[in-house]
Amino acid sequence: MEITRRDLLKVSAATALLGAVSDVSVAFDDPLPSWNKGPAKDAILTFVKETTEKSSSKFVEPKERIATFDQDGTLWTEHPLYTQAMFALHRLGEMAPQHPQWKETEPFKSVLSGDREAMSKFTEKDWMEILAVTHSGMGTEEFLALVKPWIANAKAPRFDRPYTDLVFQPMLEVMKCLREKGFKTYIVTGGGQEFVRTYSEQVYGVPPEQVVGSSIVTTFVNTNGKPVLMREPKPFFVDDGPGKAIGINMFIGKRPYAAFGNTAGDQQMLQWTQAGDGARLMMLVLHDDAQREYAYGPARGLPDTHVGTFSEELLDEATKSGWNVISMKNDWKRIFAFDK
């Protein structure tokens, strides 16, 4: 039988098409396409397989499948300053005309004069003063009405994009992968609970009731015959450090099987997760990509920082406890959805 050139071309075209379809299939089957191959990606996929396949000795019943995620620095960019802190500074500027004394009173004076060096040295007490005046003295609904338009329009300085664009695409893929396998994903953040709830579902696919965060004292009052939840200028619950484990127990009522963080403020959450039986996944995000995002530690010789510190002590704890450290530079093909 004679094979013509046309036959060869048909075979060649068919082979190329099959190869293309195969490549698409591989990409489609990969639930974590923004991750490079390596120990971090393998750890996630292995954990999902072990906990969701009924034949596995580490199978977890669907009702027990809980995964918790820190937000700032774990799910989205936290530099040069936490997003909520940027909102507080914006509010302070808006409120300043009604408070002329702030021009001579710290920490407000440094904010209003734009003294970045002084602001970089603010203590926790300084920030609590700023949050007290910008986040309280109003009802919860009034506060949410201030946050929603700000978060929709404010832009991060370096990228000139909305803060909600600076979400880590690889982490969105992890959350989606877990949810598709029956896990409930919770955000457990040191940030304000009500603040994060305004955008959590739109940005992360996490409904407001699955956000556990820091909160201030709220009281029930009647204003002109209408019930209002009034925000008072004092903290109620600080969801950071040991508070994260306490908050998980208080608001979720179940120990997570997976926990993701990026600083010492997440350490106890990972310890609490690991202390449970069966398969557990503990992961820390290390910001080591100055070109695509930011690089800071000071672990692994990276620059020191007062925002999102990843210390050598935390790295030692991760190594000793067998936690997975995610390298932005090496483990992520892309960081943001808008990356090429």
Side-chain angles (χ1 to χ4, degrees):
M1 175 177 155
E2 181 182 359
I3 299 177
T4 67
R5 180 177 295 180
R6 179 175 295 179
D7 293 327
L8 290 174
L9 288 173
K10 288 180 180 178
V11 172
S12 178
T15 303
L17 179 60
L18 286 172
V21 170
S22 177
D23 289 341
V24 170
S25 177
V26 169
F28 181 78
D29 291 338
D30 184 359
L32 306 176
S34 295
W35 291 71
N36 288 316
K37 291 182 180 179
K41 182 174 183 176
D42 289 346
I44 296 167
L45 295 177
T46 298
F47 168 79
V48 171
K49 182 176 181 180
E50 288 181 341
T51 56
T52 61
E53 290 190 356
K54 286 195 173 182
S55 59
S56 169
S57 61
K58 298 179 180 179
F59 176 75
V60 176
E61 292 292 340
K63 66 179 181 179
E64 301 298 327
R65 295 176 194 170
I66 302 293
T68 57
F69 295 78
D70 168 58
Q71 181 191 226
D72 295 308
T74 301
L75 294 179
W76 71 355
T77 293
E78 62 187 349
H79 269 220
L81 199 60
Y82 303 118
T83 301
Q84 189 170 356
M86 298 295 283
F87 168 75
L89 298 182
H90 168 78
R91 281 283 297 146
L92 200 69
E94 284 190 331
M95 297 170 68
Q98 285 76 48
H99 301 272
Q101 72 276 16
W102 286 353
K103 291 182 179 180
E104 304 300 328
T105 309
E106 292 292 2
F108 314 114
K109 178 181 176 181
S110 293
V111 174
L112 297 176
S113 64
D115 189 342
R116 293 185 178 275
E117 183 176 351
M119 290 169 60
S120 69
K121 298 175 183 177
F122 277 178
T123 63
E124 184 176 343
K125 180 178 178 293
D126 292 328
W127 280 111
M128 287 304 295
E129 285 190 51
I130 293 170
L131 291 173
V133 300
T134 59
H135 285 57
S136 65
M138 68 189 87
T140 299
E141 291 180 354
E142 183 181 351
F143 176 70
L144 299 182
L146 292 171
V147 175
K148 288 178 180 178
W150 182 85
I151 199 71
N153 295 289
K155 292 186 176 182
R158 172 181 170 181
F159 297 93
D160 192 31
R161 285 178 173 272
Y163 288 97
T164 51
D165 278 1
L166 302 184
V167 178
F168 304 142
Q169 180 63 26
M171 297 304 290
L172 290 179
E173 292 170 4
V174 173
M175 297 178 94
K176 182 174 183 288
C177 174
L178 288 169
R179 286 195 290 264
E180 288 178 346
K181 292 295 184 177
F183 277 84
K184 264 191 170 182
T185 54
Y186 288 80
I187 294 175
V188 180
T189 173
Q193 183 166 277
E194 297 299 336
F195 183 87
V196 178
R197 282 176 171 176
T198 63
Y199 56 82
S200 63
E201 190 153 28
Q202 175 189 350
V203 175
Y204 304 114
V206 175
E209 65 270 22
Q210 288 170 217
V211 174
V212 179
S214 298
S215 56
I216 62 177
V217 171
T218 305
T219 57
F220 183 93
V221 299
N222 273 295
T223 303
N224 298 323
K226 181 181 179 180
V228 174
L229 295 177
M230 187 63 66
R231 297 169 60 83
E232 304 293 339
K234 49 187 175 181
F236 170 70
F237 178 70
V238 179
D239 192 50
D240 195 40
K244 290 205 171 186
I246 295 168
I248 288 169
N249 183 66
M250 186 187 304
F251 296 106
I252 302 175
K254 294 180 178 181
R255 192 192 304 262
Y257 274 84
F260 296 76
N262 76 302
T263 71
D266 303 308
Q267 188 169 340
Q268 288 82 2
M269 177 172 69
L270 271 65
Q271 290 172 339
W272 177 245
T273 299
Q274 188 171 32
D277 296 329
R280 304 282 164 166
L281 179 67
M282 291 68 58
M283 306 197 84
L284 291 168
V285 177
L286 178 64
H287 295 252
D288 57 357
D289 196 326
Q291 183 176 354
R292 294 186 297 171
E293 202 245 6
Y294 294 97
Y296 52 95
R300 294 183 178 169
L302 294 167
D304 203 348
T305 178
H306 296 290
V307 177
T309 303
F310 193 125
S311 65
E312 286 289 353
E313 291 76 15
L314 180 61
L315 182 60
D316 290 342
E317 169 78 4
T319 302
K320 179 183 72 175
S321 302
W323 300 346
N324 296 275
V325 176
I326 300 165
S327 164
M328 278 191 165
K329 187 174 183 179
N330 299 320
D331 288 319
W332 289 354
K333 289 180 183 177
R334 62 173 177 165
I335 292 179
F336 305 115
F338 57 80
D339 285 341
K340 294 180 179 179

